[in-house]
Amino acid sequence: MISRMAPSNTGKPTLGNARTLLLAHLTALKENGETILRIESTDAQRSSEEFTGNIIDSLRFLGIYYNPNVIDQSEQQSKGVYKEIADLLVASGYAYYCKCSTDDLKRIVARQKKEKSSRQGYEGA
């Protein structure tokens, strides 16, 4: 079994991060598996190497050992990994592309708020 930890490097690690990391790691250990660290660096403006270092330091402090091949999500995105998978899902009928503009989505959310709809957000157009 592979257990994944995917903290974001947009701030200092929190107690919630530590809890999630410990549970993921213990699950992997229980199943004789490995733990993979994937950094969710999708917010380029707030992401930093300092915060990545803080995450790794907190793992060491907690005694969590993980596969040393850290996966950087933004690096995966730049390689086109996600586009390939998205295209495969669309081709197989499990996903579709949204044709709504940003303005369309804002109007939908505004209407839902005005109507006090129990469902808020994307409507699957």
Side-chain angles (χ1 to χ4, degrees):
M1 170 184 203
I2 295 176
S3 177
R4 141 186 105 79
M5 301 181 296
S8 174
N9 63 342
T10 56
K12 294 182 179 178
T14 65
L15 188 57
N17 293 133
R19 179 186 147 280
T20 301
L21 297 171
L22 282 169
L23 288 173
H25 185 61
L26 291 173
T27 301
L29 289 177
K30 179 182 176 191
E31 301 293 327
N32 296 319
E34 71 172 326
T35 302
I36 295 174
L37 176 62
R38 184 181 86 197
I39 300 295
E40 298 264 350
S41 58
T42 56
D43 185 344
Q45 292 178 341
R46 297 187 314 145
S47 297
S48 82
E49 289 299 317
E50 174 190 356
F51 295 140
T52 300
N54 289 344
I55 292 167
I56 292 170
D57 289 345
S58 68
L59 293 172
R60 284 190 194 116
F61 175 79
L62 294 169
I64 296 175
Y65 303 98
Y66 56 91
N67 183 314
N69 299 318
V70 176
I71 298 169
D72 183 314
Q73 186 169 347
S74 63
E75 184 179 301
Q76 296 294 309
Q77 187 173 0
S78 68
K79 288 181 180 177
V81 171
Y82 300 122
K83 172 113 175 69
E84 288 175 26
I85 294 168
D87 290 342
L88 180 64
L89 289 169
V90 169
S92 62
Y94 290 106
Y96 57 91
Y97 287 102
C98 174
K99 295 180 174 102
C100 298
S101 69
T102 302
D103 289 337
D104 291 337
L105 296 173
K106 286 179 182 176
R107 279 192 292 276
I108 290 169
V109 170
R111 178 183 47 77
Q112 290 168 341
K113 286 181 181 177
K114 183 179 177 184
E115 295 173 357
K116 297 182 180 173
S117 174
S118 61
R119 179 179 182 178
Q120 293 201 356
Y122 183 63
E123 295 178 331

